[in-house]
Amino acid sequence: MVANLGRTPPPTQPPTQPPTQPPPARRGTRRRRRRESALVWWGAFAVFAVAAWMLGSWPVALLGLLAWCLYQFMLVPTFCRVRTQEGHYCTERARGRLFACGPSHQQAKVDALWRLAGLRNPFRAGSRDAAKIQLEPADRALVLLAAAGTVVTLIGMVHGF
C-alpha cells in the first residue's frame, strides 16, 4: 500500500473532482530537462588541444578555437541575464550567450549586441529603451573574446599556417 502524502483524499471519501491546480507545495515548479555537463565540452576542447600539440598542427588548434567560439556563442548553458524593469537580471535559462529566454528578452539582447559593436540596431524602429540595455560584463567579455577568436581562426585558415 502506498502512503497518502496529503495530495489525495483518504480512500473512505469518494474523490470529488480532479484538482485543476497542483497542490501548494508543487505550484510554480516545473521539471526541466537535464543538460549535459560542461565537463563534456571542456573535455572535447582538451582533446583538440592535445591533438594539436601532439601533431604540431596549427589547423587542428584553430579548429579547436573555432569550436570554443561556437560553444560560447550558441551552446553554453547559461542564464538570460537581460536586466528587467525592476533592475534585476533575468534568471531564466538560455542556450548560448547570443540567445535569451523569450522574444522580448531576445530583442533586448540583440539591441545590446548591436551596441557592443558600436552600432544601432538597423532592424528596429527607433526605440528609446534600447539605449539603456547592456550586456552583463562577464557576457560582454566572453562575447568579445569569442568574436576575436573567430576572427583569428578565419585569418589563420585563410593565411594557411
Side-chain angles (χ1 to χ4, degrees):
M1 180 170 201
V2 178
N4 185 359
L5 299 176
R7 294 188 185 111
T8 57
T12 57
Q13 298 175 350
T16 54
Q17 290 181 348
T20 57
Q21 290 187 349
R26 299 235 342 131
R27 192 172 298 137
T29 61
R30 60 181 175 211
R31 187 176 182 134
R32 295 183 190 259
R33 196 179 63 137
R34 183 174 159 90
R35 294 186 176 176
E36 73 278 356
S37 172
L39 294 177
V40 173
W41 287 101
W42 288 103
F45 301 141
V47 167
F48 272 115
V50 168
W53 182 267
M54 298 290 281
L55 297 173
S57 172
W58 279 103
V60 174
L62 291 175
L63 188 62
L65 178 61
L66 187 64
W68 179 81
C69 294
L70 172 77
Y71 172 73
Q72 288 299 322
F73 282 141
M74 303 178 79
L75 301 172
V76 64
T78 186
F79 296 102
C80 176
R81 292 193 185 128
V82 170
R83 190 180 292 266
T84 61
Q85 291 177 349
E86 293 84 25
H88 304 289
Y89 286 107
C90 176
T91 57
E92 288 293 318
R93 292 182 180 186
R95 178 69 86 168
R97 301 207 186 273
L98 300 181
F99 302 110
C101 63
S104 63
H105 283 186
Q106 183 63 42
Q107 185 62 49
K109 194 165 258 195
V110 167
D111 290 342
L113 289 167
W114 276 103
R115 284 199 40 175
L116 184 62
L119 302 170
R120 191 177 61 83
N121 186 351
F123 303 108
R124 182 156 180 177
S127 173
R128 303 202 190 290
D129 295 337
K132 300 175 185 174
I133 301 166
Q134 289 185 353
L135 291 175
E136 185 177 303
D139 283 342
R140 187 178 322 137
L142 284 169
V143 165
L144 289 173
L145 277 174
T150 303
V151 169
V152 166
T153 300
L154 292 175
I155 290 172
M157 293 293 183
V158 169
H159 185 269
F161 277 100

